[in-house]
Amino acid sequence: MRTERAWEKRQFGHRARSALVPAQARLIDVQAHAARTTWNLLHDFWTMTPKCRRSLKVADEAIRQARKEIDWLGVLPAQAAQAVLKTYHQAWKNCWEGRAGEPTFKTRTRSVMSVDIPQGRDLQIKRVHRRWGMVNIPKVGRVRFRWTRDLTVGKKASEDHRITGARLVKDALGWHITFRVQTLVPPSGPHIGAEVGIDVGINVPLALSDGNHQDHGRLAWPADGTADRDKWPNLHEKARLLRLERRAAHRRSFRNPGEKISRRLTNTYAQIKRLRATATRRATDWQHQTTTYLARTYGVIVVEKLEISNMIKSARGTIENPGNNVAKKSGLNRSISQEAWGRTVTMLAYKTARNGGTLRKVPAPNTSRRCSACGFITPGSREDQSTFVCKNPDCGWSGNADYNAARNVLHLYRMGHALVPAAGRAVVRRAHSVQPSTAR
């Protein structure tokens, strides 16, 4: 028996920046709009057809007939149209199983433009330079893309190590191509590493219970108490972003209600989106590097189960009951959203599993209010966003508030308060508050 049979099959995506000439960009734009229209027509067909007659075969025949009768739908390759049907059916399966809501229409302005290439043999990838490669796009031709990773193409490709397909995706920075890579990896054994508790915060993005805090080096809460709206752009980008936002507000003032947006205003919005996309990429890159380091270093990582959507709700209130500190709460919400705590936990989940470790979640209430040294909750111990001073006369421990919460998170896991992954509910607790521990 070959040793490869015991290995694990792993699929992952690799995203690369593409360099399109204007003619190729226009062709892919037309294909993306055709794919979006195919989705909308398929959604109409599916919802208007009685449930007893809905099937993939009937929907496939409708797509084939539409591509014959409508010329501009025929611009989309047949395999890409089949991929739209497969994605739409998977969206309904996700809805039926409770993982997502019902599929809806894709608008022209807000939906992400994409074209799927489901067959890997159609790509014909070739490396032509140390930094560039060539890929074949159906009905478009040969397209250059940035070569930033050694792909299994040519003689390196095999049945177990190959590229199974790709997808073209457009964002504010242009068109990118995402390759679907399939490979075999040796089974990961149990990770022999320390246990660590992590508390996500604003002043300290990732506070660890052992003191090995991870910081991205960007000011999140200035000394004057106002939240910085843009953490990731540099000073020059912030100045340019401010000029563009003022320009957009000035041009928007001349637009009447219901009037079409001018081309100048559209271009200004596009420049703002590009700056925002650059900042988002910078943040995602830091998250990838940091979570990879944590997954390789620690065997058990414990985090809080946070309801982020509830944490970033507005404090504006109503006319009858207006809220308090609305501007400050708005700045705090922006800071929480820019830290992207949910994305960090998602990265930690699959990276710890890939490295043989485990990720555990514990209940979040009172982790930032309880003293990690004595175990008691004393009112007023958390003096501000970053300072914790225990008001218990017998304790008096002081330190960073996020570091204190990280120690509490790890202690909850060791006390058996980890959440059940399958049910998503907490284990029955011994008491409402954690009792003091003699050795922590």
Side-chain angles (χ1 to χ4, degrees):
M1 183 179 68
R2 298 187 307 169
T3 58
E4 286 80 7
R5 295 182 181 178
W7 288 17
E8 300 175 354
K9 182 181 292 186
R10 180 180 297 170
Q11 295 183 353
F12 61 91
H14 171 62
R15 187 174 183 178
R17 178 168 56 91
S18 61
L20 302 174
V21 299
Q24 292 176 339
R26 287 192 294 269
L27 288 175
I28 299 180
D29 285 344
V30 173
Q31 289 189 11
H33 286 301
R36 178 186 57 83
T37 307
T38 302
W39 172 285
N40 292 337
L41 294 177
L42 183 61
H43 182 68
D44 263 344
F45 175 81
W46 190 270
T47 53
M48 295 174 63
T49 304
K51 294 184 178 180
C52 59
R53 298 180 59 185
R54 296 177 184 175
S55 65
L56 289 176
K57 181 179 179 181
V58 176
D60 179 50
E61 294 176 354
I63 290 178
R64 293 175 183 270
Q65 187 66 24
R67 294 183 71 254
K68 291 179 181 178
E69 297 179 355
I70 305 176
D71 296 337
W72 49 271
L73 281 183
V75 177
L76 185 68
Q79 294 179 350
Q82 298 299 319
V84 173
L85 173 60
K86 183 178 179 181
T87 306
Y88 181 78
H89 187 258
Q90 182 63 38
W92 274 111
K93 290 178 64 177
N94 295 338
C95 174
W96 297 331
E97 296 173 4
R99 295 192 298 266
E102 294 185 0
T104 58
F105 281 93
K106 290 188 176 183
T107 61
R108 185 181 181 89
T109 56
R110 295 185 179 181
S111 61
V112 179
M113 298 179 64
S114 62
V115 179
D116 205 342
I117 308 173
Q119 298 294 338
R121 61 174 180 267
D122 296 337
L123 298 174
Q124 302 176 11
I125 303 173
K126 183 179 180 181
R127 188 172 187 176
V128 297
H129 188 262
R130 183 172 62 91
R131 295 183 178 179
W132 294 97
M134 297 289 290
V135 61
N136 183 66
I137 306 299
K139 295 191 176 184
V140 176
R142 302 292 289 175
V143 174
R144 289 197 311 159
F145 69 93
R146 191 73 169 177
W147 192 282
T148 56
R149 183 170 185 164
D150 192 14
L151 300 174
T152 54
V153 297
K155 296 182 179 180
K156 297 181 181 180
S158 63
E159 185 65 25
D160 298 327
H161 304 271
R162 59 193 177 95
I163 294 178
T164 59
R167 172 172 290 186
L168 291 164
V169 182
K170 187 177 184 180
D171 60 5
L173 298 176
W175 281 100
H176 299 78
I177 183 167
T178 303
F179 299 102
R180 290 188 288 268
V181 185
Q182 175 184 307
T183 183
L184 283 180
V185 296
S188 57
H191 192 292
I192 303 176
E195 299 175 347
V196 66
I198 297 180
D199 178 74
V200 291
I202 297 177
N203 288 303
V204 182
L206 295 179
L208 275 62
S209 58
D210 59 354
N212 185 20
H213 306 320
Q214 302 296 315
D215 191 3
H216 46 59
R218 296 181 179 272
L219 188 62
W221 201 269
D224 57 359
T226 60
D228 189 3
R229 181 177 180 182
D230 301 301
K231 302 175 185 177
W232 294 99
N234 54 38
L235 295 178
H236 299 287
E237 292 172 344
K238 287 184 179 181
R240 185 165 181 263
L241 188 61
L242 180 61
R243 291 195 302 268
L244 290 174
E245 288 180 343
R246 288 177 176 175
R247 185 184 303 171
H250 176 71
R251 291 175 176 174
R252 191 166 54 245
S253 63
F254 297 98
R255 176 173 170 266
N256 297 323
E259 188 178 357
K260 186 178 179 180
I261 298 178
S262 65
R263 185 174 299 178
R264 290 183 177 181
L265 183 57
T266 303
N267 294 336
T268 305
Y269 284 154
Q271 296 178 48
I272 294 175
K273 288 182 180 179
R274 283 194 289 269
L275 287 175
R276 297 287 187 191
T278 302
T280 302
R281 276 192 174 190
R282 201 170 291 157
T284 307
D285 179 70
W286 178 84
Q287 285 180 314
H288 272 294
Q289 295 187 27
T290 306
T291 52
T292 300
Y293 165 75
L294 294 176
R296 292 176 178 175
T297 305
Y298 300 99
V300 178
I301 298 178
V302 189
V303 296
E304 297 174 303
K305 181 175 175 56
L306 299 174
E307 299 295 338
I308 302 176
S309 58
N310 295 334
M311 297 174 63
I312 59 176
K313 285 185 177 179
S314 175
R316 184 175 302 175
T318 60
I319 299 178
E320 294 78 9
N321 298 316
N324 298 323
N325 298 326
V326 178
K328 188 174 182 179
K329 182 62 170 62
S330 178
L332 178 62
N333 293 346
R334 285 196 297 266
S335 298
I336 294 176
S337 300
Q338 289 188 6
E339 290 296 338
W341 296 340
R343 188 168 58 198
T344 301
V345 174
T346 302
M347 292 180 182
L348 283 174
Y350 74 84
K351 290 182 180 182
T352 50
R354 181 179 298 176
N355 289 273
T358 55
L359 179 71
R360 294 289 184 258
K361 294 183 179 181
V362 296
N366 297 325
T367 54
S368 60
R369 299 175 61 239
R370 181 182 295 109
C371 177
S372 60
C374 64
F376 287 101
I377 301 176
T378 308
S381 295
R382 180 139 187 193
E383 296 183 349
D384 54 30
Q385 187 71 21
S386 60
T387 307
F388 186 93
V389 178
C390 183
K391 303 301 181 181
N392 185 6
D394 298 331
C395 180
W397 183 88
S398 62
N400 184 271
D402 296 329
Y403 173 56
N404 173 76
R407 295 177 61 183
N408 286 327
V409 167
L410 180 60
H411 180 67
L412 284 175
Y413 167 73
R414 291 175 175 175
M415 292 284 291
H417 290 260
L419 302 179
V420 181
R425 295 173 293 181
V427 181
V428 178
R429 305 180 186 180
R430 303 173 188 173
H432 183 68
S433 61
V434 178
Q435 297 299 324
S437 178
T438 57
R440 294 211 178 191

